[in-house]
């Protein structure tokens, strides 16, 4: 009965708060994942034929989004709501088991609202958002294990954690939940089934002949994202992210602090929430440079703690003046959030895109994709100089070359000149029917890249497109459009 009442309401709320973001253009990461998922159906597999470093299940989850939406951004985001709705309902079910009906409902509401917040890039179909479903399932089954359920629940918990890691590798920090008190055997089953899930994925990659390339890509990612970054730098960046999101996301953190301070649940419940939240924050600090959408990784434990805190604030009785002031302040904050977001939510598509992507050419890339469809055959390839793979997906064309994104080519390291040469040679060998040059610096920028390597890469691309083989056919700022002579 509770499920029939709460689940449809939470699903409707989740969809409603995401409706304003349905028309937001795809960004380059979404475009890369969608392009690679669709390319895999045509035999161009990740790691071997397309250079990327994300875990394989991410591309599998992107497959329906990439193939069933007709390369249309609105249909893409509408279908992705299924993942968001699933996460909200699963979190509510976990809250019911851990906290009771009222905190669970409040947690579900907090998860739905917090996930749609533009302060955490709530419109993005990111690896962090997709990982939440598997991470919540892992927490759910481990919680049941702690509550005395049969040992097979520990196996299920570990299997779901393995799935989460295969979507977003930083989910591995959630294995810290085994530190909570339980018998030794369930811990071994949890970690063993996590390792088994990863082993199954490795066997699948090996069967497809992708394992060496995948391991090389993951090794590159480890060095790119982790190596040489002081902990203090990550902590400062994380603090900066939280402060930047404070006007709209701070209410959630305040309620979570109220829930975690003394709580209202059992000691085991409070230990579970605190450790889960700490593990999620640790996942943020592992990365080289946390971005706003990475805050989605902490949303599930944060929402549960906020649900508990909301009930505590509502139920507080003494001292009446103090609790009344807290309630009034929180209500005022909620109203201020609505007033702050209202112009963004009601803005036209172009204004909204400029607001959400103030320094990126994603809206213009849709016009470029229309041009590509008009000027190239259906089986043609497009050469894109810059990290704008969403153009290839939107245009439903093959991408010339093996690099959907330029990150791998932007760092000074041994062999980088040869790798840049190979990128251009592979792209031109595909006999592209059109070429796109992006003049926007963000399309080439990488936090670990060097200005020298990026400058050389841009100069080589411009030299090729300015040569006798190509002619400038038009401009859609910041893009230059080329056709073969």
């Amino acid at each position: 009965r509770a499920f029939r009442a709460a689940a449809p309401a939470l699903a409707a709320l989740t969809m409603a708060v995401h409706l304003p973001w349905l028309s937001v253009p795809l960004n380059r990461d979404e475009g890369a994942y969608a392009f690679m998922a669709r390319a895999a159906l045509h035999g161009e597999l990740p790691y071997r034929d397309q250079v990327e470093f994300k875990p394989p299940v991410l591309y599998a989850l992107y497959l329906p989004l990439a193939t069933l939406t007709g390369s249309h951004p609105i249909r893409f985001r509408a279908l992705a709501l299924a993942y968001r709705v699933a996460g909200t309902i699963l979190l509510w079910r976990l809250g019911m088991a851990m906290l009771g009906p009222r905190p669970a409902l409040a947690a579900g509401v907090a998860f739905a609202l917090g996930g749609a917040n533009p302060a955490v890039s709530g419109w993005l179909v990111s690896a962090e958002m997709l990982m939440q479903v598997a991470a919540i399932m892992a927490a759910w089954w481990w919680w049941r294990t702690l509550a005395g359920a049969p040992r097979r629940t520990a196996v299920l918990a570990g299997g779901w954690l393995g799935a989460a890691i295969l979507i977003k590798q930083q989910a591995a920090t959630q294995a810290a939940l085994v530190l909570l008190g339980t018998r030794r055997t369930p811990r071994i089953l949890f970690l063993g089934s996590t390792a088994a899930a990863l082993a199954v994925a490795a066997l699948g990659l090996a069967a497809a002949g992708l394992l060496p390339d995948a391991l090389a890509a993951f090794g590159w990612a480890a060095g790119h994202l982790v190596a040489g970054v002081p902990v203090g730098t990550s902590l400062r960046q994380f603090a900066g992210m939280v402060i930047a999101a404070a006007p709209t996301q701070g209410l959630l953190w305040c309620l979570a602090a109220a829930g975690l301070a003394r709580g209202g649940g059992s000691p085991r419940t409070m230990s579970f929430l605190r450790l889960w939240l700490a593990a999620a924050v640790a996942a943020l600090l592992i990365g080289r440079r946390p971005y706003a959408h990475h805050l989605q990784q902490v949303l599930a434990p944060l929402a549960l703690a906020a649900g508990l805190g909301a009930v505590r604030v509502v139920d507080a009785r003494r001292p009446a003046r103090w609790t009344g002031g807290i309630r009034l302040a929180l209500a005022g904050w909620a109203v201020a959030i609505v007033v702050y977001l209202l112009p963004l939510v009601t803005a036209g598509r172009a204004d909204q895109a400029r607001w959400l992507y103030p320094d990126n050419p994603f809206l213009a890339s849709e016009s470029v994709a229309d041009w590509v469809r008009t000027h190239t055959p259906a089986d043609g390839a497009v050469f894109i100089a810059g990290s704008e793979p969403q153009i290839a997906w939107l245009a439903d064309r093959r991408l010339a070359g093996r690099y959907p994104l330029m990150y791998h080519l932007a760092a000074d390291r041994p062999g980088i000149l040869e790798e840049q040469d190979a990128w251009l040679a592979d792209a031109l060998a595909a006999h592209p029917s059109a070429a796109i040059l992006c003049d926007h610096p963000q399309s080439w920028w990488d936090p670990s890249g060097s200005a020298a390597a990026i400058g050389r890469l841009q100069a080589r691309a411009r030299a090729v497109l300015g040569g006798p083989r190509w002619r400038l056919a038009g401009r859609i700022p910041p893009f230059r459009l080329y056709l073969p002579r």
Side-chain angles (χ1 to χ4, degrees):
R1 183 180 301 174
F3 181 83
R4 288 196 300 268
L10 288 172
L13 175 65
T14 302
M15 291 187 286
V17 296
H18 282 90
L19 284 178
W21 313 136
L22 289 186
S23 63
V24 175
L26 270 71
N27 77 353
R28 58 180 58 93
D29 285 348
E30 292 173 314
Y33 307 152
F35 170 78
M36 293 178 69
R38 188 175 63 192
L41 292 181
H42 302 289
E44 296 183 12
L45 299 178
Y47 317 122
R48 184 189 68 197
D49 304 310
Q50 303 291 336
V51 178
E52 244 296 308
F53 57 85
K54 291 294 191 294
V57 175
L58 173 63
Y59 305 120
L61 292 176
Y62 250 82
L63 194 58
L65 306 179
T67 58
L68 300 179
T69 57
S71 297
H72 195 284
I74 293 179
R75 290 196 288 267
F76 172 90
R77 298 204 183 281
L79 185 58
L81 286 178
Y83 294 127
R84 296 187 181 275
V85 169
T88 302
I89 294 175
L90 288 172
L91 187 84
W92 168 73
R93 291 299 299 266
L94 176 58
M96 286 284 288
M98 290 179 60
L99 308 172
R102 293 175 64 217
L105 185 59
V109 171
F111 189 81
L113 297 178
N117 195 325
V120 297
S121 303
W123 64 89
L124 284 185
V125 185
S126 63
E128 290 77 14
M129 184 274 285
L130 294 172
M131 175 266 290
Q132 285 291 324
V133 173
I136 292 167
M137 289 297 292
W140 160 255
W141 288 111
W142 185 241
W143 173 257
R144 291 198 60 186
T145 302
L146 295 176
R151 291 178 178 177
R152 65 176 178 272
T153 58
V155 175
L156 291 170
W160 278 107
L161 181 58
I165 295 170
L166 291 168
I167 301 169
K168 180 69 177 178
Q169 56 270 36
Q170 279 92 332
T173 60
Q174 196 166 317
L177 289 175
V178 301
L179 298 175
L180 292 169
T182 187
R183 299 177 304 280
R184 180 181 178 185
T185 300
R187 293 186 189 186
I188 294 173
L189 290 173
F190 185 148
L191 298 178
S193 56
T194 300
L198 301 180
V200 169
L203 289 173
L205 290 172
L210 300 178
L211 187 58
D213 295 307
L215 292 177
F218 300 154
W220 179 90
H224 179 74
L225 297 174
V226 180
V229 179
V231 174
T233 301
S234 292
L235 286 171
R236 286 194 299 273
Q237 290 167 347
F238 173 67
M241 256 190 337
V242 173
I243 292 170
T248 53
Q249 201 78 349
L251 179 60
L252 198 60
W253 285 92
C254 288
L255 289 173
L260 294 175
R262 282 177 291 176
S266 67
R268 184 171 61 195
T269 299
M270 302 313 299
S271 297
F272 190 95
L273 279 179
R274 291 177 183 128
L275 186 55
W276 188 6
L277 184 57
V281 171
L284 280 172
L285 301 180
I286 287 174
R288 186 179 181 92
R289 290 179 185 270
Y291 293 101
H293 64 272
H294 292 171
L295 283 171
Q296 295 265 356
Q297 293 177 87
V298 307
L299 191 57
L302 187 67
L304 286 170
L308 194 58
V311 171
R312 287 195 66 224
V313 169
V314 169
D315 290 349
R317 291 287 181 265
R318 295 194 185 97
R321 182 177 301 174
W322 174 247
T323 55
I326 292 177
R327 293 174 192 168
L328 184 62
L330 294 177
W333 200 343
V335 171
I337 291 172
V338 172
V339 172
Y340 174 78
L341 294 179
L342 191 60
L344 173 59
V345 169
T346 57
R349 186 166 188 256
D351 291 335
Q352 191 180 70
R354 281 190 288 268
W355 194 341
L356 297 175
Y357 294 125
D359 194 31
N360 277 291
F362 303 141
L363 185 60
S365 68
E366 295 183 355
S367 300
V368 175
D370 292 338
W371 181 88
V372 170
R373 275 196 301 269
T374 303
H375 291 83
T376 61
D379 61 346
V382 57
F383 169 46
I384 301 176
S387 295
E388 307 300 338
Q390 73 277 7
I391 294 174
W393 182 76
L394 291 167
D396 196 11
R397 296 296 185 267
R398 293 183 295 113
L399 188 63
R402 301 177 59 240
Y403 292 84
L405 300 167
M406 300 288 101
Y407 305 149
H408 301 74
L409 302 170
D412 267 329
R413 64 178 188 275
I416 187 61
L417 294 178
E418 291 78 7
E419 192 170 354
Q420 291 179 350
D421 285 339
W423 165 63
L424 283 170
D426 289 345
L428 297 176
H431 302 292
S433 304
I436 311 297
L437 174 64
C438 185
D439 289 322
H440 199 293
Q442 198 72 18
S443 189
W444 301 85
W445 178 84
D446 181 68
S448 64
S450 75
I454 293 171
R456 287 195 301 268
L457 187 62
Q458 289 176 307
R460 291 177 182 213
R462 291 191 177 110
V464 168
L465 296 176
R469 180 173 175 177
W470 297 94
R471 64 178 177 87
L472 183 64
R475 294 176 183 266
I476 300 177
F479 296 97
R480 285 186 259 179
L481 318 175
Y482 295 85
L483 290 172
R485 288 188 186 276

